[in-house]
Amino acid sequence: MGVVGLSLALLLAALVALCSAARSDAPRGVSVGFVFDPKAQCDPQCSHGGICIRNHTCFCSKGYEGESCQYANCYPKCKNGGTCLRPGKCRCPPGFGGRYCHKVTCDGGCWNSGECTAVNGVAKCICPSSWTGSRCQEAICPQGCRNGGVCVAPGICSCPEGWLGGACHTAVCTQSCLNGGKCISPEKCRCRPPYSGPRCEEKKKFH
Ligand SMILES: *[C@@H]1O[C@H](CO)[C@@H](O)[C@H](O)[C@H]1NC(C)=O
């Protein structure tokens, strides 16, 4: 290689020197650090506006490098496995963003004060202790929510009709069970013998 870094002005100066030399047939003009051969052939051809200055040597435009100027260069370099698409433009792998792929991005964000962090190169939400799920969107109810209850906030169950209590574990009997009977499910009493009936209000008669 060895041609990257030469300024375009220098190249133009070389061209001017060559043209005037051809016209006057006299060696004059500026001396340059490389030989420009107008018949030079580069195979593969110089990409991205690079100029073939001598056989197999490309003079690359700003922002490109490689034998045929095939690679864009990004400064600062693309981080986290990003690839340089064109000068200064990185394509980032999933989970990373920002101009140089230096930012971790969790798809959909992290809720409830969760923190987006790269774990082994993969973006992940780190959730506070009372939340879980890929985006920390699910509350944790350590007591559990029974009888079809739903955990809606840390430690708080939303209970279906007929159930109450921190874990939706207490059945509701609108009219209380009598004579030592126990409400075992919504509007259902379990009676102590010898009582029976919806509210355990009847005493069986034995003959
Ligand atoms: C460049 O390559 C061409 C084709 O292979 C050849 O004819 C020519 O002599 C080469 N020029 C130089 C300066 O080596």
Side-chain angles (χ1 to χ4, degrees):
M1 221 168 48
V3 290
V4 181
L6 289 172
S7 74
L8 194 58
L10 199 60
L11 179 65
L12 287 173
L15 279 164
V16 168
L18 245 144
C19 290
S20 42
R23 241 190 291 117
S24 69
D25 236 9
R28 58 184 162 105
V30 292
S31 96
V32 291
F34 62 90
V35 180
F36 180 89
D37 177 3
K39 290 190 188 126
Q41 293 191 345
C42 290
D43 185 27
Q45 291 199 324
C46 308
S47 312
H48 300 115
I51 298 166
C52 187
I53 55 165
R54 53 178 185 262
N55 282 356
H56 314 299
T57 306
C58 293
F59 181 84
C60 301
S61 319
K62 194 172 184 295
Y64 291 93
E65 60 191 26
E67 262 166 49
S68 61
C69 310
Q70 70 270 47
Y71 303 118
N73 53 38
C74 289
Y75 295 106
K77 285 211 154 96
C78 307
K79 304 212 183 319
N80 296 306
T83 50
C84 188
L85 276 188
R86 52 179 192 271
K89 176 72 187 167
C90 299
R91 193 206 341 244
C92 305
F96 296 94
R99 225 184 131 105
Y100 313 112
C101 311
H102 57 295
K103 287 185 189 160
V104 189
T105 56
C106 288
D107 199 25
C110 301
W111 303 5
N112 300 303
S113 306
E115 209 180 304
C116 185
T117 310
V119 179
N120 298 327
V122 180
K124 252 185 108 168
C125 291
I126 305 297
C127 304
S129 60
S130 44
W131 295 92
T132 187
S134 60
R135 297 176 196 172
C136 310
Q137 76 277 27
E138 287 171 37
I140 295 174
C141 289
Q143 79 278 27
C145 299
R146 283 141 69 177
N147 301 304
V150 177
C151 185
V152 291
I156 297 175
C157 298
S158 170
C159 304
E161 211 180 314
W163 295 95
L164 283 178
C168 308
H169 57 293
T170 309
V172 177
C173 292
T174 325
Q175 294 187 300
S176 51
C177 308
L178 303 172
N179 300 309
K182 199 179 168 205
C183 185
I184 52 159
S185 63
E187 310 300 348
K188 190 159 185 243
C189 298
R190 184 199 283 144
C191 304
R192 282 166 69 111
Y195 297 95
S196 68
R199 296 182 64 201
C200 311
E201 73 277 28
E202 294 161 25
K203 191 169 184 178
K204 279 179 194 158
K205 292 185 178 70
F206 295 97
H207 296 287

